[in-house]
Structures are given as structure tokens and as C-alpha cells.
Amino acid sequence: LFQLKRYAEAAELLKKASDLVKDDVVIRMHYGDALVETGDKTGAIEAYRNALDAAERSLVPEEIEKIETLRKKLVRLGVSLSTEGEAK
């Protein structure tokens, strides 16, 4: 749905998925991406923060690699990060 630019529908399904699988970094990151496209900056920031928290707790290399990407997405949305990368 995201690739079809049906962002609101994508966000709705990704929200359901993120509620079911709480620590999935990729689902939460894509949920944030969909929210950005719908104009929901506040929701996107929350989704990205949740994804970043999950990535920082993860032991899965692919999820740990998403940390820098998530930090960049948060900064683009105007979130300041501490020196340790924590979103404020």
C-alpha cells in the first residue's frame, strides 16, 4: 500500500501490526514513514522513537543497523537528540 501511495491505509495496517509485534523495528519504522506521508508529524515521531527504542534493545544485527537511519529521520522531523542519540 505504501508503494501505491495509499499512505493512510498503509498507516492503519502498520499500526495494527506494530500493536501485535511490539518490538519489530522495521514495522515501527515503516509505520512512521507512512505517518510522515499523511502529515502526522507527531505520530511519526512517536513511531520512530518506539522503533529506535526497540532497535537499541535488539540483539538482531539487521535491527541494530537501523539505529542511525532512525536518528536521521527524527532529526529531519525537528527532534533534537542528546549526545548519546536519545530523542528528546
Side-chain angles (χ1 to χ4, degrees), residues 16-83:
K16 289 178 183 177
S18 71
D19 288 344
L20 291 172
V21 188
K22 300 275 187 212
D23 285 336
D24 190 295
V25 175
V26 174
I27 290 172
R28 289 182 176 278
M29 186 167 66
H30 288 316
Y31 177 46
D33 293 341
L35 291 173
V36 165
E37 295 297 331
T38 65
D40 184 355
K41 180 180 173 180
T42 302
I45 289 169
E46 181 180 351
Y48 289 150
R49 283 181 172 160
N50 290 334
L52 182 58
D53 290 344
E56 289 173 340
R57 288 190 310 269
S58 179
L59 299 176
V60 179
E62 293 81 14
E63 291 184 348
I64 294 169
E65 291 172 4
K66 304 279 187 226
I67 292 172
E68 190 58 32
T69 299
L70 286 160
R71 287 181 180 151
K72 288 178 183 176
K73 289 176 185 269
L74 284 164
V75 168
R76 270 189 248 126
L77 290 173
V79 175
S80 65
L81 301 174
S82 71
T83 56

